[in-house]
Amino acid sequence: MTAEDTARSGVRTHGHCDPRFSRVREVFDGHFADGEELGAAFAVFVDGEPVVDLWGGTADRRSGRPWERDTPVLAYSCTKAVTATVALSLAERGLLDVSAPVADVWPEFARRGKDRVTVEHLLTHQAGLPAIEEPVPVEEFEDQAAIADRLAGQAPIWEPGTAHGYHALTYGFLVGEVIRRVSGSSVGEIVAAEISGPSGLDLWVGAGDDVAARAARLSAGDRRPPAPDGPPAAPDADAGSTANRDALSRDPAGGGAGAGGPANPAPAQEGRAGGTPASGSPGDEDPLLRMARAALDRDSLMNRALGNPPIHLLPGGANHPLVLRAGWPAMGAVTTARGLAGFYRDLVAGRIVRPETLREATRRRVNGPDRVLFVDSSFGLGYMRPAMTFLTPPAGAESAFGHTGMGGSLGLGDPAYGLGMAYTMNRMAGAVSGGLRGHRLAEAVYESLTRDRAAR
């Protein structure tokens, strides 16, 4: 961080940045200098080598606890790509056929016209089950099988396979139950045994008490970090509380801009039961206006998809140990930026699934207007592909894949560049500008990579 930036923000960032990626550090430091961050980390691997590993700021606004090298944080929907990878690894072993009906491995799922819904429909958000109809009680939050059974008893709100719409929370309960049925293990157990454990990655889908205790505390945006030498700031609205629920509505699946992530223009979802927009057909008005109207409607499909299970009922919302411990496969990953980037490093290198499996999985299966988000989204088998909901620099437009997470987090892989990167933070973005933090960092990475290649 430059002396000027440090003076402006009062925050000193730490870590390593290869000189070829100096622009990345400028952007990372600039976010603190401009008051956009509370605490954050960013990590990049290129061809397996660590070229960026940065962190800084405050992990807990209440106590002033600093963000350390090994500070993990809830990464929300970045989890979906990890869950998809577990499913793919089971498919490689012959334990799962993604083209087969879900009911082949989960017979109860066939109820109410879902006998032809395939595993691929679940992975590509085509199942027509984006929201849980009845409120999930808090005592059921850690019983993923019970929540999955609720979905098994529902009818799709559109004909599966005819449209796609972001399954913000239900994706994890659906895919996670399929994984449990064929393997006998939870997503979190498989991640620990086969992905993060062997590579020593700080990545958990379901965090133990020791990990939860040192996790960064998510904080609603629109506030500045405490003064460097002053007393801790007064308690503010926690992520997952009522205030953060509002941020969720503005930033449904990701950070500031889209279904799940940093650079996506706020994937708001409108539409009511049946997936029909509240006013007219999809062409009637700008999708962003529909998003805004959906955010104000408690009964919109967007808010129902994002708000059940109702995390805001817990003290501290998403910071509550129950949420960190539960390991929901759509949003339960607790990770460091280095851990998540290491996951993409290993995935791109063929160490988790075979390269041909990854190529097929990142092939676009759906692309275009999202039935839940309105804006264009694009998915392979569980992975986001470049679209309005996963904005990617031009150099990665054809080859990048990954997933974003609510509030701004980002995980991205790109086989064309041997690239794995991740951004984590605890100041939840509530507007497009804050959600662009991860995208700006990705832009700086690709800019550095293309410049380095041109100089060779």
Side-chain angles (χ1 to χ4, degrees), residues 76 238-245 248 311-314 316-319 406:
Y76 279 102
D238 284 313
S241 67
T242 301
N244 188 63
R245 187 175 46 184
L248 256 172
I311 297 172
H312 66 278
L313 296 179
L314 297 170
N319 292 305
M406 194 200 65

Side-chain angles (χ1 to χ4, degrees), residues 167-179:
H167 288 46
L169 295 174
T170 59
Y171 168 99
F173 300 121
L174 294 166
V175 178
E177 182 64 10
V178 169
I179 288 170

Side-chain angles (χ1 to χ4, degrees), residues 18 26 53 102 113 130 196 198 329 335 393 396 420:
D18 186 293
E26 290 175 11
D53 186 12
V102 173
S196 59
T335 183

Side-chain angles (χ1 to χ4, degrees), residues 22 83 101 135 157 258 260 279 287 324 373 402 438 452:
S22 59
T83 296
I157 64 174
S279 73
L324 302 181
L373 307 181
D452 183 57

